[in-house]
Amino acid sequence: MKRLFLSTLCLMAASSVMAQTGLTKKQADEATERLLAERSAKIEAEYGHEWKEGVLTNGDYKMKFYYRVFGDKPADGRSLYISMHGGGGTTPAANDKQWENQKGLYTPVEGIYFVPRSSTDTWNMWHQFYMDGFVDKIVQLSGIYEDVNPNKIYVMGYSAGGDGTFQLAPRLADHWAAASMMAGHPNNAKIENLRNLPFSIFMGGQDAAYGRNSHAREWIARLGSLHNAEGGFVSDSHIFEECGHWMNRQDTIAMSWMPKFRRNPYPNKVSWVQDDVSRDNFYWLYASPTGKNEDTKVVAEYDGETNTVNIVETNSPSVIFGLNDKMMNLDKPVEIKFKGETIYKKRLPRSLKSIEEDVNAGRDADLIFPVKVKVMNGVATVL
């Protein structure tokens, strides 16, 4: 009993020191690996049958899906192409037909070609709130069952699926390596979020319904202008002047363009504008409770060489960001700037709580941050 009591005291003392000084890099890595393994086991136990049965659930919504495997599996894991069908606000039978058509529309050289059947039969079926949860479940389960690399996930879609690509590519930009939009309409999509996501546009020059062709030309011009002015915003655009809504499969060249890219989970500069469907996180940024309204904007950057983070621009009273050891040396002081002015320069402790929050939020292995800092009214606070 005495030995057990002393052991307990030692553990309590170690925990107290750790809370004050933070985890070492090794401890943070080990905790992340353990928590992710536990989460994967739980997901497989609770939802593995959905993958095997071909029907995912998200609350009251259900999503059937089809997938096919192409090519040999690379050493760094498989690619995943999520391909969304057309149709939209029509009959279930019409959307079923579009789903069947989408199954054979594109062929990757390597990877999982994943074709979901929309949960609803509405015009905005691919960008309603439930899609974010479905995407997270697809990423998690495909990683478990098909060894998909989270840095090689691509999104694409035709017609109503193109509408979805216009919306989901920027909204979930931190999920994708590249995106291809075919014959869709952007609606209120936030182009600023594409700073770090290669985005291709395929459109028939005669596809005038809902102004699709004119909107495509507008986005092509805006992406080019942003790229020239700020860098980033990589794009590839094709207007097939002789075509209407059907592009005679000329858009299949997307399947050779997208695999050129891998996701960078830690872009040095991030632009984040909240959509009408808000998110809690985006790359290494996090939304505060007051920063989730549509059009809330944060632009932030970091420099791993100088251990510096700068909140460049925001219309939110508070901004939260995360850091990990792949971004900078967390064993040295980190300089935090707000609009270029230094507001903090100290070492930031790695936190088990921060790691647990990200794992519980369903973030993948490359989006786990053991350090989080809140900047409010120009004052930095370690969370």
Side-chain angles (χ1 to χ4, degrees), residues 225-375:
S225 178
L226 286 166
H227 174 74
N228 292 335
E230 304 181 28
F233 295 98
V234 172
S235 63
D236 182 56
S237 304
H238 302 268
I239 303 291
F240 302 111
E241 296 294 350
E242 74 285 1
C243 295
H245 195 51
W246 177 242
M247 290 177 277
N248 298 315
R249 300 181 66 83
Q250 296 177 87
D251 50 297
T252 57
I253 59 175
M255 303 309 291
S256 60
W257 180 78
M258 288 190 289
K260 297 176 182 178
F261 303 100
R262 299 290 184 273
R263 179 189 66 163
N264 174 11
Y266 321 115
N268 290 102
K269 189 170 186 177
V270 175
S271 301
W272 182 18
V273 181
Q274 286 279 15
D275 196 348
D276 56 345
V277 177
S278 65
R279 290 192 58 201
D280 294 324
N281 45 58
F282 188 76
Y283 292 106
W284 45 275
L285 295 177
Y286 295 79
S288 65
T290 57
K292 296 182 68 174
N293 295 326
E294 184 174 6
D295 294 324
T296 297
K297 182 176 183 179
V298 180
V299 180
E301 60 190 4
Y302 77 92
D303 186 334
E305 295 296 321
T306 61
N307 262 32
T308 302
V309 180
N310 182 28
I311 309 302
V312 178
E313 175 188 354
T314 184
N315 58 7
S316 174
S318 62
V319 174
I320 300 171
F321 65 85
L323 296 173
N324 64 25
D325 290 276
K326 295 178 182 177
M327 298 169 68
M328 59 181 61
N329 187 345
L330 295 179
D331 291 324
K332 294 183 177 180
V334 175
E335 183 176 8
I336 301 173
K337 297 182 178 183
F338 183 72
K339 299 181 179 179
E341 297 293 325
T342 299
I343 60 172
Y344 184 101
K345 190 173 183 179
K346 293 181 182 178
R347 198 179 150 211
L348 298 171
R350 303 176 188 87
S351 161
L352 179 61
K353 176 176 175 286
S354 181
I355 296 170
E356 289 173 335
E357 288 173 347
D358 288 338
V359 172
N360 292 337
R363 309 206 82 187
D364 67 67
D366 286 323
L367 290 175
I368 306 296
F369 300 94
V371 167
K372 292 191 182 73
V373 177
K374 180 179 181 179
V375 176

Side-chain angles (χ1 to χ4, degrees), residues 212-227:
R212 291 190 189 102
N213 52 4
S214 59
H215 284 295
R217 296 182 200 278
E218 175 192 352
W219 267 59
I220 290 168
R222 289 177 67 191
L223 286 168
S225 178
L226 286 166
H227 174 74

Side-chain angles (χ1 to χ4, degrees), residues 58 61 63 118-122 124-135 171 277:
N58 182 10
Y61 295 90
M63 175 181 282
S118 174
S119 292
T120 61
D121 298 296
T122 57
N124 59 347
M125 57 190 183
W126 292 118
H127 46 99
Q128 293 189 53
F129 70 94
Y130 53 72
M131 279 304 302
D132 296 36
F134 275 126
V135 168
R171 189 164 93 211
V277 177

Side-chain angles (χ1 to χ4, degrees), residues 156-201:
M156 58 195 298
Y158 204 106
S159 192
D163 295 357
T165 306
F166 259 133
Q167 294 281 326
L168 292 184
R171 189 164 93 211
L172 302 176
D174 56 346
H175 286 60
W176 319 120
S180 290
M181 191 293 306
M182 288 84 169
H185 185 289
N187 296 293
N188 64 340
K190 311 302 182 184
I191 197 170
E192 300 94 332
N193 294 357
L194 295 177
R195 177 184 293 275
N196 301 293
L197 176 64
F199 189 82
S200 62
I201 293 174

